[in-house]
Amino acid sequence: MIKGIAAPLCALMLALAPVSGQAHEAQAGALTIIHPAIPAVMSGAQAAAGYFTIVNAGDSADRLTAVEVDFATMAMLHASETDAGGVTRMVDVAAVEVPAGATVKFAPGGLHVMFMGLSAPIAEGVLLPGTLVFDHAGKVPVEFMVTTAGKAPDMSGHAMP
């Protein structure tokens, strides 16, 4: 009996294996949010950064105005800026423009979301729900995948315009 189901079971597992390793995304009209991710932080950490890519395939611009989550007391849009002296600092950003036909990347060293006052573990492999709030697309539910600490999300499987 086991031999009779082993081959089909192995085939099913192999067929599903590539799906589990692919980046995830959310769609809202012309906007695609690709691979929302948070690098894992040490136990007890009170802050973490979030990254993703927004692709606007539409004919009109939109603006990301907020990120809402339950796993932190605050989620703030930030940008990293380096001054002429080589000093990098984070600055609050009220909103992020997403021009028509453009791709906006939230990545280490640039735009990112700072999650402050963490109330849940940010451990590798966990999916944490959140909502991106846009002027036109409205509230877009996403899941932030907690990735290996210190590694940028792998988006090699995604074609960027």
Side-chain angles (χ1 to χ4, degrees):
M1 176 75 172
I2 291 176
K3 286 182 181 181
I5 64 169
L9 184 58
C10 287
L12 176 63
M13 289 173 40
L14 287 173
L16 294 177
V19 173
S20 65
Q22 292 178 349
H24 61 292
E25 59 186 48
Q27 188 82 35
L31 299 181
T32 303
I33 295 86
I34 300 170
H35 197 58
I38 301 170
V41 295
M42 292 177 55
S43 179
Q46 288 299 300
Y51 309 110
F52 46 88
T53 298
I54 305 169
V55 178
N56 184 350
D59 295 333
S60 59
D62 208 336
R63 285 181 350 132
L64 175 64
T65 58
V67 177
E68 300 171 348
V69 297
D70 290 337
F71 59 85
T73 57
M74 286 190 293
M76 300 170 288
L77 299 173
H78 276 179
S80 296
E81 294 181 353
T82 303
D83 65 20
V87 176
T88 302
R89 62 187 178 98
M90 286 187 297
V91 295
D92 289 331
V93 177
V96 175
E97 297 293 326
V98 186
T103 298
V104 177
K105 293 183 180 185
F106 283 65
L111 290 170
H112 58 278
V113 180
M114 281 304 303
F115 300 108
M116 305 296 291
L118 299 176
S119 58
I122 308 294
E124 186 176 348
V126 174
L127 290 173
L128 298 170
T131 303
L132 304 185
V133 183
F134 293 90
D135 279 346
H136 302 294
K139 293 188 173 197
V140 181
V142 298
E143 286 187 314
F144 288 92
M145 180 181 291
V146 181
T147 61
T148 303
K151 283 191 170 183
D154 176 16
M155 294 195 245
S156 59
H158 291 280
M160 298 289 175

